[in-house]
Amino acid sequence: MNKGKETVWITGASAGIGMETALLLAETGYQLILSSRRKKQLEDLSEKILRRYGTSVQVVPLDVTERKEVEKAVRGLPEDWAQVDILINNAGLAAGLDHLQEGDINDWERMIDTNIKGLLYMTRSLLPGMAERGRGHVVNLGSIAGKEVYERGNVYCATKHAVDALSRAMRIDLLGRGIRVTNIAPGLVETEFSLVRFKGDTRKAKDPYRGMTPLGGRDVAEAILFAITRPPHVCINDLVITPTAQANSFYVKRNS
Ligand code: 8X3
C-alpha cells in the first residue's frame, strides 16, 4: 500500500506510540513532520527512517504547551510541507497516580497543558488550512481513561474525557468541510507512559503490565493507519483498543 505524498504531522513522535506510528507511516509512503520536545531522539528517528525507507522527514522540535511556539512552527513550515493533510495529536502524558486530595498541582497542570491545551493549539493552527482545502484528518490520541474514571486517575481521566469530548465536538463543527476526526482510545500499552506516570520508578512502572500481555505502540500505530487509509467518505469516529487480557479500566486478567 502506498499513499503517495500526503503530509502527516505527528506530535510526541520521539517515543512510544508516536515513534511507532512514524515508522509505520514512513514505511507506507507518507511525508512526515515529526515533533517532540526531544530534539536528539527526533533526529535519531529521522536518520533511522532515512536509512530504512529512503524518506526524509521534517523534524520540528516543539513543546506543544507553548502556544506561541506552536504558531511559529506552523508558520515556519517550508513551502513543500505547509499543506498538512493529517494531524496526529499524540503528545500527552499521565503524571502521578494519587487521590485527588493528595494530588500534585504541578502534575495536574502538566497534564492539562499537554493533553488538552497542546492538542487544541496544534489543532487550531492546522485546521484553517484543512478547511480551506476541503480535506484533512485529525487523529486524537484519547484513552480508555476518557471513557471511564478510575481511582486515583482523576485529572488524567478528566483530560482524556476532554479529548473524547473535543473529538466529538470537532466532528460537529467541521461537518461539511471534508475533514475527518478520529478518536483512538487505547487501554494498557507498554511504552514510556508508565515510567513517566511514576516519575522514573521502574518497579512501579512495570506493575500495570504484570502477568499479562499489554499492547505495544505498533498495535496502536496499525489502528491509526487503518483509520487514515479509509476512503474519503469513511470516518472512523472512535476506536477503543485493549489487550485481550483487559476488558476495561477495572478488569485485567493476570497470570500471577
Ligand atoms: C492509558 C490507559 O488505563 O493507564 O491511557 O489509563 S490507563
Side-chain angles (χ1 to χ4, degrees):
M1 180 193 345
N2 190 318
K3 288 298 293 175
K5 282 287 174 204
E6 272 187 306
T7 300
V8 185
W9 191 329
I10 305 174
T11 65
S14 61
I17 294 171
M19 187 186 74
E20 293 294 342
T21 304
L23 289 167
L24 184 60
L25 267 50
E27 185 184 348
T28 315
Y30 287 93
Q31 171 163 284
L32 300 181
I33 304 169
L34 303 181
S35 280
S36 154
R37 284 171 308 166
R38 296 183 287 188
K39 189 168 178 222
K40 172 77 175 75
Q41 279 93 331
L42 280 183
E43 284 169 353
D44 291 349
L45 177 60
S46 152
E47 269 169 39
K48 189 172 178 177
I49 288 174
L50 186 61
R51 236 183 304 120
R52 273 200 198 168
Y53 309 115
T55 319
S56 62
V57 308
Q58 190 73 20
V59 165
V60 180
L62 177 65
D63 181 347
V64 295
T65 69
E66 295 293 335
R67 179 176 158 187
K68 294 265 175 297
E69 254 188 59
V70 171
E71 289 166 358
K72 199 169 148 207
V74 172
R75 274 199 313 269
L77 285 175
E79 211 178 309
D80 291 359
W81 299 78
Q83 295 202 353
V84 177
D85 301 293
I86 301 168
L87 166 63
I88 302 184
N89 278 315
N90 168 69
L93 78 156
L97 191 66
D98 304 301
H99 285 136
L100 193 90
Q101 63 274 25
E102 285 143 14
D104 180 333
I105 294 177
N106 291 321
D107 286 347
W108 299 355
E109 287 184 333
R110 272 179 75 204
M111 290 188 280
I112 291 167
D113 286 352
T114 311
N115 302 1
I116 306 177
K117 291 165 75 177
L119 176 145
L120 283 170
Y121 297 156
M122 287 298 302
T123 307
R124 179 65 181 82
S125 295
L126 290 173
L127 273 181
M130 292 184 190
E132 208 174 285
R133 294 187 293 278
R135 55 193 287 269
H137 197 154
V138 179
V139 178
N140 293 326
L141 267 292
S143 168
I144 57 166
K147 306 289 180 187
E148 294 157 322
V149 177
Y150 52 84
E151 188 178 4
R152 299 170 195 263
N154 45 67
V155 176
Y156 176 68
C157 294
T159 64
K160 290 300 179 177
H161 274 72
V163 173
D164 194 281
L166 287 168
S167 298
R168 285 183 278 138
M170 284 179 210
R171 269 192 301 273
I172 297 167
D173 291 352
L174 292 164
L175 203 56
R177 301 299 192 122
I179 301 173
R180 303 187 278 187
V181 182
T182 299
N183 189 71
I184 304 276
L188 288 164
V189 188
E190 191 163 19
T191 58
E192 283 181 350
F193 174 85
S194 202
L195 203 60
V196 173
R197 169 172 261 177
F198 295 110
K199 301 172 184 172
D201 184 330
T202 45
R203 195 186 49 82
K204 273 195 189 165
K206 285 205 177 84
D207 198 54
Y209 316 115
R210 176 181 42 82
M212 53 90 67
T213 306
L215 300 172
R218 172 84 185 200
D219 297 315
V220 181
E222 286 174 0
I224 293 171
L225 180 63
F226 174 77
I228 66 176
T229 50
R230 293 312 86 209
H233 69 288
V234 178
C235 177
I236 304 293
N237 284 217
D238 202 359
L239 280 174
V240 179
I241 314 157
T242 62
T244 308
Q246 179 177 33
N248 57 29
S249 295
F250 309 101
Y251 291 93
V252 179
K253 184 76 187 155
R254 301 187 195 276
N255 298 324
S256 52

